[in-house]
Amino acid sequence: NSESSRQALRELLFTTPGFEKRCAGVILYEETLFQTCVDGTPFVELLVSKNILPGIKVDKGVVAIPGCEDRGETTTAGLDGLEERCATYYQKGARFAKWRGVLTVGKNGKGPSERCLALNCDALANYAAICQKNGLVPIVEPEILTDGDHDIAVSQAVTTVVLQRVFESLNKAGVLLEGMVLKPNMVTSGVDCLKKADAATVAKLTVETLRRTVPPSVPGILFLSGGQTEDEATSHLNLMNKNSPLTNPWTLSFSYGRALQATVLKTWGGKSENVQAAQAALFERADANGKASLGEL
Amino acid sequence: SRDRGLSESPRTMAALTQSLTFTGQRVVSRAAPTQKRASVTTKAALKHADELLETATKMTMPGKGILAMDESNATCGSRLEGVGVENIEENRRRYRELLITAPNLGEHIGGAILFEETLYQSCADGTSFVDALNAQGIYPGIKVDKGLRPLSNTSESWCQGLDDLADRAAAYYEQGARFCKWRSVVSIPDGPTRTAVTDCAYGLARYAAICQNAGLVPIVEPEILLDGTHGIDETMEVASWVWAETFKYLADNNVSYERMLLKPSMVGPGADCPVRNTPEEVADYTLRMLNSRVPPSTAGIMFLSGGLSELDSTLYLNAMNQSPNPWHVSFSYARALQNTVLKTWAGDDAKLVEAQGILVRRAKENGMAQLGKFVAGDVSDSESESTYQKNYVY
């Protein structure tokens, strides 16, 4: 794990032929925003030349909530100095940002505590407002972890409440919904659930939940993949777009990390002779997910 | 003392603090503040879930809207007296029979909202109004709020009616009602204050939950009154606030949006605002506001006319349906459907057929507006006149 290997990985990804056909944006870590290709071309310049928008993660990770340590709940840090950092990132070429809040289904599936919800939703809303003020489209990511043995109904109930509160906070902060993107989890069974729901049910309940909580002004919902395998993440997305009996007012697509990079990493293994094969793997995943966002698989 | 400050060495500070003796009362921290309480509540299954969904779906078919005819006895009375008809029960019954039995009214009217008295009345031939409506393919609805009262320490109103609402709703369902309505108001010249907006939203949410559980599809109506000199931007701000609050409490109350209808006022200028807006501007503002507040699972949005002329009510609705919306966008009109009808009848049964014809035509015009296909023909003076009454008390 050195800076040069991180640079090599990212260069591999961004120079993948045809990558720009399926990826409209890339979320970067701060280090990457300021890095260059081996030939000196700044990553940002390379991306922009391919019509790919550079985005930037702006949160500073999770911190425990005072008084809720016994529940293992966290909020996300990073609001201090965010305004200045946004200005710097915009100047460097970023045009969107990302902030990840992390929540759990709670004890007995009764959801996060009110305190945890309030802190996470307000942090997301404040972040979003600051970003918009500085020309960055905020990706709002309230991830509910799949840890646990709960069934899919619990995931639906908790996701519903979390999304309701997120939009409550966004409204209070005056965030322009037309200028943001939502990055939610899908509604799934818990990782240790004994009776896992099938892909069609995941797709159906996810869309149902979003239709109950996300106002039409939001232009796009780009899912996180969480702990899903590459195939699961693609299949779920495809079913959502294929089976939906109602026309959804927002795009349903992907904002995947592991679900795009898992095979790429394994194939590359850090060796330059594997770059082409790894790039082919990336294109294959990106292409599949692009088709899934149109329900074409 | 002041010249010591932070430069004191740790050892000196430790020695100093050790010399202090605490003589106060020890306080033990209490456990479990309410903030730790879980956020998800279990919700029992809705008893009439399928029927509610069927009602909501049928009432929001393309080209369909709602006839609001739930004027209280006092309000209905002032309308009747306005055309020289005495306000007695028989006249109210005669007028409502005229509306309910208009031929083919069910083509564009999916539901009719009734006042309590009307729900229990019958046609002259003995057919109950409920049966007559069902024969037309029109769902009977019922106003369930108990009216507005002054809101203490403000110049605004609040809406009463939650006490024993569950029992009343059950009785109305038994009588044949399948949907209901509750109208709360918010006034821009008088505020609106936080209390008024909160009560409006909260009352509507509690009413909606109670009525869904009794088998009635709730129409949620937080009317922002037309009264005032405010411009369209201010209406936009207030409407965005009111609908955010309303959905907040609807969410808390676990109301099913697929089985719920909204009845908003359009986002336009106040009645006395010197700056007027076109139907396209009103449509644009209104849809922008609703798109930012109303989840797509909501069964339908049925606008109130609130003092607009019959013609404007139809033109504005038509402007809102020029491209597909995420939900059914339609009408729940009272004055905008009845104004000319009532004036034409004016108590004279020789005019009954003509009056019914006007009602059916107005319903069809608004049905066309729901489809975005309304073209104004020759419009009578009556249909062009504003139905706005300043300080109108419902």
Side-chain angles (χ1 to χ4, degrees), chain A:
Chain A
N1 181 23
S2 63
E3 197 194 322
S4 71
S5 52
R6 295 193 293 272
Q7 184 279 339
L9 170 64
R10 271 67 185 260
E11 181 159 352
L12 182 163
L13 299 172
F14 305 156
T15 56
T16 296
F19 178 56
E20 62 276 17
K21 288 207 186 88
R22 294 300 191 190
C23 284
V26 176
I27 313 175
L28 307 172
Y29 180 62
E30 188 181 71
E31 173 189 82
T32 322
L33 188 67
F34 293 88
Q35 278 178 333
T36 66
C37 300
V38 153
D39 72 3
T41 315
F43 278 158
V44 172
E45 207 178 288
L46 173 66
L47 291 168
V48 169
S49 75
K50 295 179 167 209
N51 247 326
I52 300 174
L53 286 168
I56 174 74
K57 161 158 79 192
V58 300
D59 71 74
K60 294 199 162 178
V62 298
V63 294
I65 297 173
C68 294
E69 294 89 346
D70 56 326
R71 297 175 63 97
E73 289 178 321
T74 62
T75 183
T76 301
L79 288 174
D80 283 1
L82 177 60
E83 178 106 48
E84 289 79 8
R85 287 189 294 125
C86 282
T88 307
Y89 297 146
Y90 183 91
Q91 220 180 37
K92 189 62 189 153
R95 287 297 176 268
F96 70 97
K98 188 206 89 172
W99 174 291
R100 175 173 174 261
V102 181
L103 304 125
T104 62
V105 299
K107 241 200 295 216
N108 300 322
K110 293 205 170 182
S113 67
E114 290 287 348
R115 182 103 183 98
C116 172
L117 262 180
L119 284 173
N120 275 287
C121 291
D122 283 345
L124 278 164
N126 287 334
Y127 138 80
I130 291 169
C131 280
Q132 287 187 338
K133 190 174 152 202
N134 288 280
L136 302 176
V137 168
I139 295 183
V140 171
E141 180 178 359
E143 174 171 6
I144 303 160
L145 300 174
T146 53
D147 302 33
D149 60 3
H150 52 277
D151 65 23
I152 197 167
V154 167
S155 171
Q156 181 169 43
V158 176
T159 305
T160 303
V161 170
V162 168
L163 290 177
Q164 281 164 349
R165 300 301 181 90
V166 164
F167 282 96
E168 212 181 284
S169 293
L170 291 172
N171 291 340
K172 275 198 248 174
V175 173
L176 181 70
L177 299 186
E178 292 89 335
M180 63 156 268
V181 165
L182 183 68
K183 180 166 170 170
N185 51 279
M186 298 184 195
V187 172
T188 65
S189 317
V191 135
D192 300 319
C193 179
L194 296 172
K195 242 176 49 170
K196 289 229 171 85
D198 64 15
T201 308
V202 167
K204 173 167 172 267
L205 295 186
T206 302
V207 173
E208 187 179 82
T209 305
L210 295 168
R211 287 184 68 82
R212 289 173 178 168
T213 54
V214 184
S217 298
V218 174
I221 300 177
L222 309 185
F223 294 98
L224 60 94
S225 48
Q228 293 183 32
T229 66
E230 291 175 330
D231 284 331
E232 283 171 340
T234 304
S235 158
H236 290 154
L237 183 63
N238 186 54
L239 285 169
M240 279 186 235
N241 284 296
K242 195 184 190 127
N243 285 350
S244 210
L246 308 144
T247 317
N248 295 309
W250 3 252
T251 300
L252 291 174
S253 190
F254 61 94
S255 171
Y256 290 165
R258 283 169 280 177
L260 278 171
Q261 297 180 65
T263 304
V264 172
L265 277 163
K266 242 172 45 170
T267 307
W268 176 52
K271 305 198 167 92
S272 56
E273 60 267 30
N274 295 336
V275 165
Q276 261 197 321
Q279 289 183 326
L282 176 64
F283 181 77
E284 191 188 314
R285 290 321 311 157
D287 195 48
N289 284 307
K291 293 195 169 114
S293 76
L294 297 166
E296 282 175 2
L297 286 177

Side-chain angles (χ1 to χ4, degrees), chain A residues 67-68 70-71 109-115 117 157-158 161 164-165 168 171 177-178 211-217 249-250, chain B residues 34-42 244 248 251-252 256-259 288-298 326-327:
Chain A
C68 294
D70 56 326
R71 297 175 63 97
K110 293 205 170 182
S113 67
E114 290 287 348
R115 182 103 183 98
L117 262 180
V158 176
V161 170
Q164 281 164 349
R165 300 301 181 90
E168 212 181 284
N171 291 340
L177 299 186
E178 292 89 335
R211 287 184 68 82
R212 289 173 178 168
T213 54
V214 184
S217 298
W250 3 252
Chain B
T34 45
Q35 294 164 337
K36 279 194 181 184
R37 297 190 73 76
S39 46
V40 171
T41 50
T42 345
K248 182 173 103 177
D252 283 350
S256 167
Y257 302 165
E258 292 92 339
R259 299 161 175 81
R288 252 192 306 131
M289 188 280 292
L290 292 169
N291 272 298
S292 75
R293 291 292 181 267
V294 183
S297 61
T298 304
W327 354 251

Side-chain angles (χ1 to χ4, degrees), chain B residues 207-218:
Chain B
Y207 136 82
I210 290 169
C211 287
Q212 275 187 347
N213 279 278
L216 304 175
V217 169

